[in-house]
Structures are given as structure tokens and as C-alpha cells.
Amino acid sequence: DLEAANQVLQQDRQRAIETEKMASLGRMVAGFSHEVNTPIGVAVGAVSQVAESAGKLQDLLHGDEVSEELVAGNLASLIDASALAMSNLRRAASLVQSFKRTAVDQTSEIQRDFSLSQLVDDVVSTMRPLYRGAQIHFDVDCDPHVQLHGIAGAWTQILTNLCTNAHKHAFDNGKRAGAIQIRVARESSQVVLRFRDNGVGMEPEHIQKAFEPFFTTRRNDGGSGLGLYIAYSLATQTLGGSLACNSTPGVGTEFVLCVPLHPLKQQ
């Protein structure tokens, strides 16, 4: 009976974890859709201006007399509007590519070669909608030469959960101003990611329970208590590394992820 009850508990826990992962992805999708609407909206407005200026030029060319000054003015408007549309469409395309890589990685357990610097940039980019309106600065320093072979999705999920956790707990859902530092470097035979915030910090008794499943200090605020547990499980079980937490109340919190360095897969 005890074995059967334990098996049911493990199954329920796994379902809760999968639900939380999908909820995290859903929040990311919602934030991304809002973020990508801005450059697309600007591009649509710029293209409308292009059409208007082109129509004016056509009318001028069909007239008996053509004012060089008006033609030059409309051409300048065409050039400016086209440049504005192009820059915003490129911005939208960059967001889409970043989101695509992050979303695919987050739902995939396939091993592949990847740049850790690009992965961190992608995650930070997709998390910006969550931090929109908050006076929280991201300071990222990642060695661009760190190329890994492994499950990129585990790295993506861990970093996403740390960003979400900091927003909710360290900065009180974005109401507090502050900064997040992300440092990634190769140290001996492992890769070390340090995620540090200068938020409210954690009490010693909370640090001890931080990675326990379903532990949260925000139960009444929609917290599931699975974010850090999932990050810890991925770090230790999927990546074969470790995830540690150091914190001082009123000063901030630091998470240190250490993962053994595996060489890139030879083609």
C-alpha cells in the first residue's frame, strides 16, 4: 500500500511539474505576443506613410508642373518611412527567432550543440515583457566562446524559472526597483552560471526549503512552489550538475548553477 501510494504521489508530482512547465510557456507566449506587436505596429504605420507619399508623388508627376521641392520632400519621406519600417520588421523578426529558439528548447529534451551566450540572450529577451514597466536592469556577462553540447532546453527552463522567481519574490512582482546580474564563465572542467539579484533576499529558514516541491511564500498570490524545484531537478538530474542558493535578507539572492563541461559532438 505504501509503495502504491508513493507511486501515485510521484505521478501527481510529475503531472504538476508538466502543468507548471506549460503554464510558464503560456506566460511567455502571452508576453511575446504583446512585445512583437509594438515593432509590427510601427512598421504598419510607416508603410502607410510610404503609400501616402507615393500617392502624392504620383499626383505631382501627373500634373502640368512639378515642384522640385515637393518631389524632394516626398522622396525624403519615403526614404525615412522605409527605413523605419525595415528596422522595426527586423526587430520583429529577431524577436520571433529568439522566441522560437527559446520555446522549442523549453519543450525539447534533444541534445544539440549550442552557444550558451546566445541562449542566455534569447531567454533574457523573451523575459523582458514580464519586466516591462519595472525599474529592473539586466546586466549580462557571458563568455561568447562557451559552446556546449547537451540539452539546451534544461538551461532555458532553469534560467526562465530564475528570472520568473526573481520578478515575483525578489522584486515583489516588479514593484521594487533593482538589478539582475547574470555571469557565465568556464571554470576548470565545468560551466558556472551565477544569477544574482539585489532584491529583498530570503530568510535562512526559507533558503533551506527553497528547492523543495510545493514550498512557496506566495501561496495566496498564485505561487505553485514548483519553479525552483523544477530548476533544481533539471540542474541535478538532467544536466548532472548542481544548483545552490545564497541569500541575505535586505541584500539579495544568488543562485549558482555548476554543470560539467561536455565537449561538442564531433561531426
Side-chain angles (χ1 to χ4, degrees):
D1 289 344
L2 187 59
E3 263 186 44
N6 183 58
Q7 187 174 3
V8 170
L9 179 62
Q10 293 297 330
Q11 291 173 348
D12 288 344
R13 179 180 296 180
Q14 189 59 39
R15 279 194 291 269
I17 290 173
E18 294 303 320
T19 299
E20 176 61 22
K21 284 184 178 180
M22 294 309 297
S24 174
L25 186 58
R27 290 191 293 269
M28 189 183 298
V29 170
F32 167 77
S33 63
H34 178 77
E35 184 80 355
V36 81
N37 272 340
T38 301
I40 289 178
V42 173
V44 169
V47 171
S48 298
Q49 188 177 346
V50 167
E52 183 180 345
S53 297
K56 290 179 179 179
L57 272 176
Q58 189 176 42
D59 292 340
L60 285 171
L61 293 175
H62 286 162
D64 295 332
E65 295 183 3
V66 179
S67 169
E68 183 177 344
E69 184 179 349
L70 288 176
V71 170
N74 279 280
L75 281 175
S77 179
L78 277 172
I79 292 171
D80 291 344
S82 297
L84 182 61
M86 183 59 71
S87 65
N88 277 275
L89 288 173
R90 283 174 176 162
R91 168 64 178 157
S94 175
L95 285 169
V96 169
Q97 288 301 318
S98 176
F99 174 76
K100 182 180 178 181
R101 285 191 296 263
T102 303
V104 168
D105 279 344
Q106 194 164 327
T107 56
S108 172
E109 296 184 358
I110 297 176
Q111 294 196 18
R112 66 176 179 87
D113 297 342
F114 62 96
S115 163
L116 190 53
S117 176
Q118 183 184 66
L119 184 146
V120 171
D121 287 343
D122 285 345
V123 172
V124 171
S125 177
T126 56
M127 294 305 297
R128 289 197 187 279
L130 177 65
Y131 284 83
R132 181 181 292 280
Q135 296 181 352
I136 301 170
H137 172 68
F138 275 90
D139 179 13
V140 180
D141 183 8
C142 182
D143 185 348
H145 300 103
V146 178
Q147 303 287 323
L148 302 179
H149 176 78
I151 302 177
W155 286 90
T156 297
Q157 185 75 58
I158 291 170
L159 190 52
T160 298
N161 286 14
L162 292 180
C163 287
T164 303
N165 184 75
H167 180 269
K168 179 182 287 290
H169 298 281
F171 300 113
D172 192 17
N173 287 315
K175 297 174 185 176
R176 291 173 56 98
I180 292 175
Q181 286 186 348
I182 301 176
R183 299 285 184 266
V184 182
R186 182 173 176 174
E187 299 181 10
S188 186
S189 60
Q190 62 183 1
V191 177
V192 179
L193 184 151
R194 302 180 188 276
F195 184 99
R196 182 184 297 115
D197 67 65
N198 60 354
V200 298
M202 300 169 63
E203 299 295 335
E205 60 269 24
H206 292 166
I207 297 175
Q208 296 175 3
K209 298 179 180 179
F211 299 125
E212 291 183 6
F214 306 112
F215 172 76
T216 179
T217 58
R218 295 242 178 185
R219 184 73 63 191
N220 297 328
D221 193 26
S224 67
L226 286 171
L228 291 182
Y229 169 71
I230 291 173
Y232 182 80
S233 296
L234 289 171
T236 57
Q237 298 176 22
T238 304
L239 297 180
S242 64
L243 181 62
C245 175
N246 306 298
S247 186
T248 303
V251 177
T253 302
E254 179 185 48
F255 291 93
V256 182
L257 171 65
C258 299
V259 177
L261 183 63
H262 298 295
L264 290 174
K265 185 179 180 181
Q266 299 299 317
Q267 299 296 328

